[in-house]
Amino acid sequence: MADQRALYEQVILDHNKSPRNYGEMECPDHKAEGYNALCGDQFTIFLKMGDGDIIEDISFEGAGCAISKSSASVMTTMLKGKTQDEAKALFTGFTEMLTSDVDTPFDIEVVGKAQVFSGVREYPVRVKCATLAWHTLMSALEDADGTVSTE
Ligand code: FES
């Protein structure tokens, strides 16, 4: 268990240091901004959609703590080639995992590599950090106007 925790932390630190799919996208089909009202950190998510509601490309930019930035990065690596419905199911599984009790098992099949953030459950104040980009993604998929806030 200690080894697994160390591995998870390593993945989070790596994505924070070298975020994947980072940068503004030219001519995105969807774009949304989200911010954490507690700290003011913010991210923008860019999406390019393909046939059959498939996420063809996704990128993000913005500034945030290590948890929020690495969560945005991991999220983007998981979503390319996924349908909107699959992305929403992943969002649901991820947020359910983070808001469940520490000892509640979660479905690894559903959350995939986003399981590296399962330790965040022990620090409820950080849950908003981990979900910031994900809420912003939902806003982008729904093409909602305005800025999404974690409040
Ligand atoms: Fe701002 Fe984590 S402290 S998003």
Side-chain angles (χ1 to χ4, degrees):
M1 197 65 184
D3 282 356
Q4 191 184 48
R5 258 185 116 100
L7 180 68
Y8 285 177
E9 278 171 22
Q10 213 179 326
V11 173
I12 291 170
L13 291 174
D14 176 54
H15 277 265
N16 177 49
K17 199 171 152 211
S18 310
R20 321 302 198 263
N21 304 302
Y22 188 84
E24 187 173 350
M25 183 185 292
E26 279 185 28
C27 307
D29 294 318
H30 302 279
K31 169 183 161 181
E33 290 175 25
Y35 81 105
N36 183 340
L38 287 177
C39 61
D41 289 342
Q42 65 83 30
F43 289 104
T44 305
I45 302 286
F46 305 92
L47 294 172
K48 198 157 276 193
M49 304 303 291
D51 292 342
D53 268 347
I54 284 182
I55 297 173
E56 201 172 278
D57 200 9
I58 177 168
S59 70
F60 79 103
E61 68 173 10
C65 63
I67 297 282
S68 62
K69 195 173 188 182
S70 57
S71 183
S73 174
V74 168
M75 179 187 82
T76 62
T77 65
M78 297 180 74
L79 290 178
K80 273 187 204 178
K82 292 262 194 304
T83 64
Q84 275 208 44
D85 286 348
E86 287 169 336
K88 286 176 183 172
L90 185 52
F91 167 81
T92 302
F94 184 65
T95 51
E96 279 177 4
M97 174 185 80
L98 287 177
T99 53
S100 63
D101 290 336
V102 173
D103 297 327
T104 307
F106 54 87
D107 192 341
I108 289 175
E109 294 284 316
V110 173
V111 294
K113 70 176 152 187
Q115 68 186 273
V116 296
F117 296 98
S118 55
V120 171
R121 298 190 287 184
E122 292 171 41
Y123 311 96
V125 73
R126 306 311 300 274
V127 169
K128 287 181 178 173
C129 304
T131 56
L132 174 57
W134 294 74
H135 284 293
T136 312
L137 165 76
M138 286 299 110
S139 175
L141 284 173
E142 284 154 20
D143 234 353
D145 286 334
T147 303
V148 65
S149 163
T150 52
E151 289 309 296

